[in-house]
């Protein structure tokens, strides 16, 4: 086992940093807001998780994003690029906040207290299979399920302190004949069939590379392909489009976002339940309001609402709810 590195002063040679002010990125908001489920704050301000088949610890200090990678690899330009890509640091966030605020006083008022909320650029396979697990679920339980999935089917990477870390499993590993029964035994319930069915469809069809190639096709086409997979509805497809397939205009709509559109924005919607048509209407409403990065703007408001819910509910179950509602 390796000791947790929770500060650059502990092993300076094993740490590296990127310039990144909090207006561009707030780790505490982004990594705990239901976009990704494998980051843990093991020490105050120090987030440890798996990215690209490696275990990392990240923290922010005085306008710098510090990171260390566990294992044989020494941080350098290659690992810089991994983080730059994952956090999409080429997108200038303050300029987007200003544009959204100019177009939308509600956004401007809310976002002032929530700077640095970015959309992650995740591995498409991990993002897709993870969001299938969010159906009728809450953040703490989703994270625990995905951790069990990785421990059961993923390659062991290392142990930090007393915690083992595993890579996210390949579609092939989840496509086997015994995988569904094993996931049911791990508490996945009906989601086991969808996780294994989609993994099998990827492994036997488009492959992981084909899923990545959806980054290059139009948003509507990518969403259509995803919705043809087992257990993937419009909301899950939009989450994957936004957080893994470079579709910044995708607006994931759950009942929470539906209520925001109706109650806070007074959107005139033509249905009383969250149908596919309603997903489209709400998405179109926000795309017209916020422009081509509408999905990013929605992520800011979603994060703000999630934080408000946690503050109101304290340690109750509502505080743990997320995208799976």
């Amino acid at each position: 086992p390796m000791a947790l590195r929770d500060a650059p002063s502990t092993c300076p040679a094993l740490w590296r940093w990127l310039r990144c002010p909090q207006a561009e990125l707030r780790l505490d908001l982004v990594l705990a807001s239901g976009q990704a489920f494998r980051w843990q704050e093991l020490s105050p301000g120090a987030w440890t998780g798996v990215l690209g088949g490696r275990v990392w610890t990240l923290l922010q200090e005085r306008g710098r994003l510090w990171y260390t990678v566990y294992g044989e690899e020494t941080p350098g330009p290659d690992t810089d690029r991994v983080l730059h890509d994952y956090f999409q640091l080429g997108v200038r966030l303050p300029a987007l906040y200003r544009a959204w605020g100019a177009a939308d006083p509600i956004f401007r008022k809310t976002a002032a207290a929530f700077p640095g909320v970015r959309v992650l650029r995740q591995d498409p396979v991990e993002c897709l299979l993870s969001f299938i697990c969010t159906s009728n679920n809450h953040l703490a339980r989703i994270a625990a399920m995905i951790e069990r999935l990785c421990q059961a089917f993923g390659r062991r990477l290392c142990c930090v302190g007393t915690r083992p870390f595993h890579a996210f499993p390949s579609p092939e590993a989840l496509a086997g004949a015994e995988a569904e029964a094993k996931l049911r035994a791990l508490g996945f319930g009906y989601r086991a069939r969808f996780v294994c069915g989609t993994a099998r469809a990827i492994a036997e069809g488009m492959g992981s590379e084909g899923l990545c190639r959806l980054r290059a096709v139009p948003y509507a086409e990518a969403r259509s392909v995803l919705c043809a997979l087992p257990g993937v509805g419009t909301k899950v497809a939009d989450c994957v489009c936004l957080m893994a397939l470079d579709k910044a205009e995708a607006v994931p709509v759950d009942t929470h976002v539906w209520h925001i559109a109706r109650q806070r924005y007074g959107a005139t919607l033509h249905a009383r339940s969250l149908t596919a048509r309603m997903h489209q209407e709400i998405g179109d409403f926000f795309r017209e309001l916020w422009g081509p990065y509408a999905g990013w703007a929605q992520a800011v408001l979603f994060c703000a609402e999630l934080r408000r819910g946690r503050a109101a509910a304290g340690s109750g179950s509502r505080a743990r709810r997320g995208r799976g509602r």
Side-chain angles (χ1 to χ4, degrees), residues 28-316:
D28 61 319
L29 298 180
V30 174
L31 298 183
S33 62
Q35 289 192 51
F37 307 99
R38 302 201 65 201
W39 292 98
Q40 305 168 62
E41 193 178 10
L42 298 184
S43 178
W47 294 83
T48 301
V50 179
L51 171 60
R54 291 168 284 200
V55 180
W56 308 61
T57 293
L58 314 177
L59 60 87
Q60 287 182 281
E61 191 175 82
R62 296 190 296 275
R64 295 178 175 183
L65 172 60
W66 287 90
Y67 74 89
T68 184
V69 183
Y70 298 86
E72 298 178 359
E73 184 172 11
T74 301
D78 288 344
T79 47
D80 284 358
R81 283 190 285 271
V82 171
L83 278 191
H84 195 278
D85 180 73
Y86 184 64
F87 288 111
Q88 305 198 71
L89 295 179
V91 177
R92 311 321 302 174
L93 201 55
L96 287 175
Y97 268 63
R98 287 192 294 272
W100 296 326
D104 176 7
I106 296 174
F107 178 91
R108 185 169 63 248
K109 181 179 179 180
T110 301
F114 294 90
V117 178
R118 322 180 61 81
V119 170
L120 301 173
R121 189 176 195 247
Q122 302 179 54
D123 172 76
V125 170
E126 178 172 350
C127 187
L128 172 58
L129 296 179
S130 295
F131 273 96
I132 289 175
C133 298
T134 65
S135 173
N136 299 312
N137 220 337
H138 59 71
L139 286 179
R141 187 161 181 262
I142 295 164
M145 287 171 64
I146 292 171
E147 197 53 40
R148 293 196 296 273
L149 173 82
C150 295
Q151 289 178 7
F153 295 93
R155 175 173 53 91
R156 184 176 172 123
L157 299 172
C158 69
C159 192
V160 178
T162 59
R163 294 173 182 261
F165 287 87
H166 294 73
F168 196 87
S170 67
E172 291 75 15
L174 293 165
E178 305 300 322
E180 182 178 337
K182 193 168 184 178
L183 285 180
R184 286 186 181 274
L186 291 172
F188 278 66
Y190 68 90
R191 304 173 193 87
R193 176 164 58 93
F194 296 139
V195 169
C196 294
T198 288
R200 193 172 301 114
I202 295 170
E204 298 174 358
M206 70 180 84
S208 300
E209 298 80 7
L211 193 59
C212 282
R213 283 196 291 271
L214 293 180
R215 288 172 167 169
V217 307
Y219 163 48
E221 182 181 341
R223 184 167 67 168
S224 178
V225 171
L226 293 173
C227 284
L229 296 169
V232 180
T234 307
K235 187 208 78 171
V236 170
D238 275 336
C239 287
V240 179
C241 282
L242 176 64
M243 301 171 201
L245 298 180
D246 299 342
K247 315 305 180 198
E249 71 270 38
V251 177
V253 178
D254 56 9
T255 55
H256 191 63
V257 176
W258 181 41
H259 289 140
I260 290 175
R262 292 180 63 191
Q263 296 172 6
R264 298 187 61 190
Y265 284 85
T268 303
L269 305 172
H270 299 99
R272 295 190 176 185
S273 60
L274 198 47
T275 62
R277 177 185 174 186
M278 190 69 2
H279 277 265
Q280 189 65 43
E281 284 192 24
I282 294 172
D284 289 345
F285 172 82
F286 284 125
R287 280 185 282 273
E288 182 176 351
L289 177 63
W290 293 325
Y293 276 78
W296 285 55
Q298 179 267 346
V300 179
L301 292 190
F302 185 89
C303 180
E305 292 293 328
L306 187 62
R307 283 300 177 107
R308 287 195 190 98
R310 285 172 173 160
S315 60

